[in-house]
Amino acid sequence: MNDLEERLRAAFDARAHTFETSPDAWIRLRERRPWRRGVARLAVAALPVALLAVFVPVLLNGGLGSNTAADADAIYEGLMRDRTATGELVTVDNPTEGKPLRLWFARAQAGYPEMCFVLERAAAEPYGGCTPLTEELDTDAWFVGSTLRDGAESALDWGVTLEGVGGITGVAADGQRFPGTVSRPVGVPYRIWTVTYPVRHPMSSIEIADDQGRKLGSWSRDMLSDRPSGKALGDALELPAGVVARPYESGQGTEVAMSRHGKDLASVLLKGQEPVQPTLEEDVIAGVARKDVARVELTLPSGAKVQAETRPDPWGLGVTLFATGNPAGGWINRYGVVAYDASGGEVWRRDIDDQQTIADSPVIGEAVALPGTGIRAWFTSFGKDMTSLCRSGGVSPWGGENPTCFGAGLKGRFSHEKAVTYLPEPGAVTYYGVVLGPWKSVEAVLSDGRRVRAGFLRGKGAPAAIWHVTIPSGDVVLAGFTVTPQDGPLERYPEAGKSCGRKGVTIDAGRQALPEDMAALVVPPSCLAFFWHGEPTASLAGPLPGEKLSDLLWDRPAKWTRGAAAWYGYAPKGTTSVHLVTSNGRTATAKAVPDRWGQGVTLFAGPWPEGGDFSAGTYLVGYDAGGAKLWQDGPVKREN
């Protein structure tokens, strides 16, 4: 297996297992972050890559220290050249630089929403960018950027919230808490939050509250920046275009981590690499070169040439570093690289041509056009046993417009992807996936109870049919899917939705108390919300409109997850206790009680077993009032 196949397989494995919330959901979510080592030129299947910002470099009036108001205005004008502003521009004090930070929302040419910024510097050139907004993170607020840099005493983190969020509190690793502010620009369904904090107490997360002060949950800063765990080998070095580089010693060797406005870009492993290692991220060209390289020149597909002067590394690693803006505006897969020494002589040249990009990879059968969407879908292969479903057209939920693939495969469980079209307004969402076997139908179940049957299309020579269904954007949203196989029970796949926990917080009536200070509540259209000490914790998908929780036990005898201090879920009626055995042999028992809503299940919650490992191999066993075993969920093991 070559390096490309290894990266694709890892990305596909992270995307392929799309089923109900499980105890390791947070770990899997972190694995989907865009942080990676080496020169990652292929943006396939790793959807968070589409969160990349649009960078506009400006070098006006000479060198460092020449920042003026005109510089920042020019950056704003450049960013908005092909965008439409939405809402009001918010200006906040940047404690790191002593200069203003501008934040606002805009719509890209394709219509999707973005958050934009212009960051002025005290002793360096200003820079700015626009980051596509996504609501796929299953949170009501998330991080977008930071002014944090070496040598500063104070910093400011900023981000986005959904409507209904009224309070943000920054939480440091040592427990210190810092009140934030929430701005409400008129005319957009989002809000802007900021938190200022002393650098000696770096932020680790935010706590989120609604307009009435009720806690909605928290969100980790690791999704913005999660540096290598190895030892830092020197101080951070500031490069042009707002890029910051710092070396670390990792298990693989020495690597140089690069970031911008507090957000990770990539980490370049130095051992055994080519003389020039460019990284194209956030529309910034940055990288590491051999020590005799004084200038790097990239030739883009348009023929435009981009040059960057290198800087010797101050850490004694024997390399040079470079960074500059990318006028191509985004990810490109073909470009030429030429390296020159201090005398202007050419020392290395290479044409980068990733043959196994989405466009170049072999297509299996004919592509099909999804009616009325402008979307085309097809199957392709990136190597042995790596069949993928790809599409072009529409916008991914993470804001990317490039063609994308996901490792759906031709076997396994039902899974789906989605593409959004924003124009003409109000737009629509198209869901699609692989028809896995002899299915009679796939139906999208909407929040108002309606069911929309998906179409099936199969290109000539394609290995399987593709199902697709398009839902107009608006107040009626997707609640889930049903699949009718030729044989067997109706399969149900509810979607809990990003607002599950928040809606549960606002509903006081109907909660059912559970052991371990837990409570549960069925929240329309398809959510089973859980609370610990009255605050929301990890939830489960609930019944589809017009159905019951018991209908969701068609494939497993129990659905469960775990929160901060307990594991919990629901099981068939008649279960009175649930026994947990972790993968390392720790055990715990939960009391089960009948649900009081007439959902035909029992609800349970149990304590974490001390030292328990909830990885693969963990299983549950359910018992009735007489102690008889009713069911087992997970690996078949003999209990001691």
Side-chain angles (χ1 to χ4, degrees):
M1 186 185 302
N2 60 34
D3 177 66
L4 174 66
E5 290 176 343
E6 288 179 352
R7 286 186 280 126
L8 285 170
R9 188 177 295 279
F12 289 164
D13 286 346
R15 290 288 301 144
H17 305 291
T18 52
F19 42 89
E20 69 278 348
T21 304
S22 64
D24 62 345
W26 168 243
I27 297 174
R28 293 204 313 273
L29 179 58
R30 288 191 59 187
E31 290 173 348
R32 292 171 56 188
R33 296 183 65 256
W35 182 255
R36 55 192 182 279
R37 295 176 171 82
V39 186
R41 303 187 184 103
L42 183 62
V44 181
L47 293 182
V49 171
L51 288 171
L52 305 179
V54 179
F55 171 73
V56 178
V58 174
L59 296 176
L60 300 176
N61 304 323
L64 298 179
S66 60
N67 303 338
T68 67
D71 294 336
D73 291 342
I75 292 175
Y76 176 87
E77 291 170 3
L79 288 169
M80 298 308 297
R81 186 171 297 119
D82 297 317
R83 293 181 172 83
T84 302
T86 58
E88 306 161 315
L89 185 147
V90 174
T91 301
V92 299
D93 293 330
N94 177 352
T96 308
E97 307 293 343
K99 289 178 173 288
L101 170 67
R102 307 184 193 184
L103 302 170
W104 73 96
F105 295 109
R107 287 198 175 274
Q109 279 188 309
Y112 58 82
E114 297 180 301
M115 185 180 191
C116 302
F117 74 95
V118 172
L119 195 159
E120 298 184 52
R121 303 291 305 279
E125 297 292 343
Y127 62 94
C130 293
T131 301
L133 299 182
T134 177
E135 297 179 15
E136 297 298 301
L137 296 175
D138 196 23
T139 181
D140 294 289
W142 59 95
F143 289 82
V144 173
S146 176
T147 67
L148 180 64
R149 63 172 174 81
D150 280 11
E153 294 184 357
S154 299
L156 178 144
D157 287 0
W158 75 85
V160 178
T161 84
L162 304 181
E163 288 185 301
V165 172
I168 294 290
T169 301
V171 181
D174 61 5
Q176 294 272 357
R177 298 168 64 83
F178 308 103
T181 62
V182 178
S183 301
R184 300 167 172 80
V186 176
V188 290
Y190 301 102
R191 297 174 180 179
I192 296 172
W193 67 262
T194 61
V195 174
T196 298
Y197 56 95
V199 171
R200 67 181 183 276
H201 298 293
M203 283 250 287
S204 63
S205 64
I206 53 172
E207 289 184 355
I208 309 161
D210 68 7
D211 286 322
Q212 283 72 48
R214 295 171 294 197
K215 186 176 178 182
L216 299 176
S218 61
W219 193 245
S220 172
R221 198 179 188 275
D222 286 351
M223 295 297 289
L224 175 71
S225 177
D226 188 16
R227 294 296 175 83
S229 58
K231 177 184 177 182
L233 300 180
D235 294 334
L237 174 67
E238 291 198 30
L239 299 171
V243 175
V244 176
R246 191 173 192 180
Y248 290 83
E249 187 66 38
S250 71
Q252 300 184 51
T254 300
E255 49 188 276
V256 177
M258 293 188 171
S259 62
R260 180 172 172 270
H261 67 86
K263 193 174 186 179
D264 295 332
L265 295 177
S267 187
V268 180
L269 188 65
L270 301 186
K271 183 179 179 181
Q273 298 291 341
E274 294 179 332
V276 179
Q277 302 175 67
T279 297
L280 282 72
E281 300 287 353
E282 292 208 353
D283 290 331
V284 172
I285 298 171
V288 178
R290 205 167 57 193
K291 64 181 179 181
D292 61 332
V293 175
R295 178 167 54 92
V296 176
E297 180 182 86
L298 277 74
T299 302
L300 306 181
S302 64
K305 296 183 183 297
V306 181
Q307 297 191 27
E309 303 294 328
T310 67
R311 295 184 183 180
D313 84 86
W315 315 299
L317 300 178
V319 297
T320 58
L321 303 106
F322 60 91
T324 189
N326 174 14
W331 168 67
I332 55 176
N333 66 305
R334 290 184 176 90
Y335 53 92
V337 183
V338 183
Y340 300 93
D341 61 18
S343 68
E346 181 180 315
V347 297
W348 185 79
R349 173 186 292 266
R350 176 68 56 86
D351 288 330
I352 306 298
D353 187 351
D354 288 319
Q355 291 298 321
Q356 286 189 290
T357 60
I358 294 174
D360 297 326
S361 297
V363 176
I364 307 174
E366 294 181 347
V368 295
L370 307 189
T373 66
I375 296 171
R376 292 175 59 82
W378 68 93
F379 290 95
T380 192
S381 175
F382 293 100
K384 184 179 180 182
D385 300 324
M386 294 181 66
T387 300
S388 304
L389 178 59
C390 304
R391 66 135 179 94
S392 63
V395 179
S396 83
W398 302 88
E401 297 179 66
N402 289 321
T404 188
C405 298
F406 75 108
L410 304 178
K411 297 180 181 179
R413 288 178 63 93
F414 170 88
S415 63
H416 71 274
E417 287 294 301
K418 70 179 181 181
V420 185
T421 53
Y422 291 90
L423 301 174
E425 294 182 340
V429 182
T430 297
Y431 299 89
Y432 63 98
V434 180
V435 177
L436 301 173
W439 290 351
K440 291 182 180 179
S441 67
V442 174
E443 288 187 330
V445 184
L446 305 187
S447 56
D448 62 3
R450 287 181 294 154
R451 303 196 174 205
V452 182
R453 188 161 182 154
F456 285 17
L457 292 172
R458 185 167 187 168
K460 184 178 179 180
I466 298 170
W467 65 265
H468 65 94
V469 61
T470 298
I471 310 299
S473 298
D475 295 333
V476 177
V477 297
L478 180 76
F481 296 94
T482 63
V483 174
T484 305
Q486 289 288 357
D487 300 302
L490 181 70
E491 300 177 8
R492 298 170 171 88
Y493 300 96
E495 299 269 305
K498 61 183 179 296
S499 60
C500 174
R502 175 156 55 92
K503 286 184 178 179
V505 167
T506 62
I507 303 173
D508 295 321
R511 292 188 189 182
Q512 180 164 348
L514 300 175
E516 306 303 321
D517 293 315
M518 296 287 299
L521 177 67
V522 175
V523 181
S526 54
C527 171
L528 178 59
F530 286 91
F531 307 88
W532 182 58
H533 292 301
E535 298 181 353
T537 185
S539 299
L540 291 171
L544 294 172
E547 297 190 354
K548 297 181 178 182
L549 283 171
S550 57
D551 295 323
L552 298 182
L553 298 176
W554 62 271
D555 61 334
R556 293 173 55 186
K559 300 293 176 73
W560 67 286
T561 187
R562 62 188 176 101
W567 50 279
Y568 47 87
Y570 62 95
K573 183 185 296 186
T575 304
T576 60
S577 66
V578 179
H579 188 60
L580 165 79
V581 182
T582 67
S583 57
N584 61 342
R586 302 293 193 272
T587 63
T589 299
K591 181 181 178 181
V593 296
D595 80 90
R596 71 182 198 187
W597 316 297
Q599 294 286 327
V601 297
T602 56
L603 302 164
F604 60 86
W608 274 43
E610 185 176 353
D613 182 355
F614 282 82
S615 58
T618 299
Y619 66 100
L620 304 182
V621 181
Y623 298 92
D624 65 14
K629 179 178 176 179
L630 297 178
W631 52 266
Q632 179 166 330
D633 180 48
V636 176
K637 292 185 178 182
R638 179 177 298 173
E639 294 186 67
N640 296 328

